[in-house]
């Protein structure tokens, strides 16, 4: 899996002014990639539960989550610098203290940087569905990826996945069915297990609702 990436990098450079702001805010919200397990306690200076969001886009939902859950640590992974810049601006404006962002590929971060049994929730909302059949191999949600996620969760921790692509939903169902029995699987659950305060709505979810697309939700709980 070391050669598989969770996203295809299509980075666009920030202009000089934004780049300067990015560098200024990085020490407050950024977390450099390292190839060894980090200490969550040392990074956040507490032992609160950790919510990880993979691929947070502009960061609007991530900021809302951090703002409404001050007794939880919020960790985001993103490869789009413009989205991280937007998230930094919002975080500074809202005076967010419980947020850290990693600017790197999620597969590498999870395998090398995130300790096992350290996360309470992992959120993956509207990952790239790669609609064309020839591109399906690029879809992030695979059996091996789900198994990595489960290793990173604490006991009773939850993976929460959302998509509005029906073919991807079927793909997710098939791959969840392949992982071992150390899980509980709740497809299309209406009452989200309330590890966070209220379920917030992302930009992509709002877009799907406006288009009247079906939204498929998946919850996989780690049971050791």
């Amino acid at each position: 899996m070391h050669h598989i990436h969770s996203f295809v990098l299509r980075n666009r450079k920030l202009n000089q002014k934004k780049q300067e702001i990015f560098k200024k805010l990085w020490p407050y919200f950024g977390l450099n990639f390292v190839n060894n397990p980090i200490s969550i306690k040392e990074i956040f200076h507490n032992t609160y539960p950790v919510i990880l969001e993979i691929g947070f886009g502009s960061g609007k939902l991530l900021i809302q989550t951090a703002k409404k859950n001050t007794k939880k640590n919020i960790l985001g992974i993103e490869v789009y610098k413009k989205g991280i810049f937007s998230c930094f601006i919002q975080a500074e404006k809202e005076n967010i203290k419980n947020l850290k962002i990693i600017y790197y590929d999620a597969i590498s971060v999870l395998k090398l940087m995130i300790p096992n049994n350290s996360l309470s929730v992992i959120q993956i909302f509207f990952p790239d569905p790669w609609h064309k059949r020839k591109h399906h191999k690029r879809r992030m949600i695979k059996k091996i990826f789900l198994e990595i996620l489960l290793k990173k969760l604490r006991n009773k921790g939850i993976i929460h996945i959302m998509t509005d692509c029906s073919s991807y939903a079927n793909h997710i169902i098939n791959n969840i069915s392949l992982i071992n029995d150390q899980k509980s699987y709740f497809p299309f659950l209406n009452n989200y297990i309330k590890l966070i305060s209220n379920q917030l709505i992302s930009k992509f979810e709002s877009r799907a609702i406006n288009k009247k697309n079906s939204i498929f939700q998946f919850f996989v709980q780690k049971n050791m």
Side-chain angles (χ1 to χ4, degrees), residues 67-82:
K67 190 176 178 181
K68 290 191 175 185
N69 295 274
T70 57
K71 296 298 183 181
K72 294 180 175 64
N73 298 317
I74 313 302
L75 187 61
I77 304 175
E78 182 57 79
V79 294
Y80 295 102
K81 202 168 188 178
K82 288 184 71 175

Side-chain angles (χ1 to χ4, degrees), residues 56-113:
F56 56 78
S58 67
K60 182 178 179 181
L61 179 62
L62 196 69
I63 296 299
Q64 289 179 330
T65 302
K67 190 176 178 181
K68 290 191 175 185
N69 295 274
T70 57
K71 296 298 183 181
K72 294 180 175 64
N73 298 317
I74 313 302
L75 187 61
I77 304 175
E78 182 57 79
V79 294
Y80 295 102
K81 202 168 188 178
K82 288 184 71 175
I84 296 173
F85 173 80
S86 176
C87 186
F88 281 3
I89 295 299
Q90 296 174 70
E92 183 186 39
K93 181 180 179 181
E94 298 288 349
N95 195 30
I96 300 296
K97 303 295 186 183
N98 58 333
L99 172 68
K100 290 293 182 182
I101 303 299
I102 303 172
Y103 175 37
Y104 211 80
D105 174 71
I107 299 292
S108 298
V109 171
L110 287 162
K111 288 188 68 176
L112 300 172
M113 194 171 172

